Amino acid sequence: MKILTILILLVYNLFASNVGEMLFNGNCLACHNIKTEVSAPSMVEIRDVYLDIFPRKEDFVNFMTNWVYEPEEDTAFMPNAIDKYGLMPNLHYDQQMLEDISIYIFETDFSKID
Ligand code: HEC
């Protein structure tokens, strides 16, 4: 019984992290490259800035989810990027989806992705 529970948890976690990755690739990669800055800051850069401010997963995920849901200059942490590219547009994303994506971003060391 214990083994079954562990197995279910494992499969669930695998599935959940893949969903976050898929959603990220489909919704964010168009503007945010993994390592290079093109028309918006790279994911390596954004994650570094956010991890510095929000080392706890819960805070990181909550803030990022809410900010991307409704981007605002007043609460942004990357004013230089706003000067350069303008404020990130409000793309009317689903909030639950943004939470899945934020968890994926917290858990992924983008500097190790090729
Ligand atoms: C249409 C282009 C575009 C798309 C798509 C996009 N972004 Fe952005 N994003 C930007 C730009 C430009 C900035 C830099 C200006 C700023 O900070 O507002 C930015 C900044 C950010 C920031 C930093 C905000 C700050 O200043 O504190 C986060 C976090 C972020 N994006 C997350 C995401 C996530 C997650 C997705 C996918 C769900 C996404 N973005 C999709 C253009 C985009």
Side-chain angles (χ1 to χ4, degrees):
M1 195 56 206
K2 223 173 175 180
I3 289 182
L4 186 67
T5 311
I6 291 170
L7 245 152
I8 289 171
L9 276 176
L10 255 172
V11 170
Y12 176 78
N13 276 331
L14 217 78
F15 180 71
S17 67
N18 282 342
V19 167
E21 182 178 0
M22 219 175 63
L23 293 172
F24 170 80
N25 289 341
N27 290 285
C28 317
L29 263 188
C31 296
H32 297 285
N33 274 13
I34 298 293
K35 289 181 188 162
T36 51
E37 199 171 318
V38 184
S39 56
S42 72
M43 282 327 291
V44 170
E45 200 187 338
I46 291 179
R47 186 170 177 269
D48 279 354
V49 168
Y50 273 66
L51 271 183
D52 249 11
I53 303 165
F54 304 110
R56 286 181 56 226
K57 181 175 174 177
E58 197 190 333
D59 303 335
F60 183 105
V61 169
N62 277 342
F63 188 91
M64 191 177 278
T65 300
N66 290 325
W67 193 88
V68 177
Y69 186 70
E70 221 173 348
E72 272 179 33
E73 190 160 355
D74 287 351
T75 50
F77 288 112
M78 302 179 75
N80 293 342
I82 297 179
D83 287 347
K84 217 162 152 185
Y85 307 109
L87 180 69
M88 175 168 157
N90 185 333
L91 295 162
H92 305 286
Y93 293 115
D94 176 76
Q95 199 152 12
Q96 179 59 52
M97 179 185 88
L98 290 177
E99 197 177 313
D100 290 341
I101 291 175
S102 302
I103 291 171
Y104 168 71
I105 294 173
F106 180 87
E107 289 175 347
T108 306
D109 184 351
F110 289 95
S111 67
K112 296 208 171 94
I113 294 182
D114 291 321

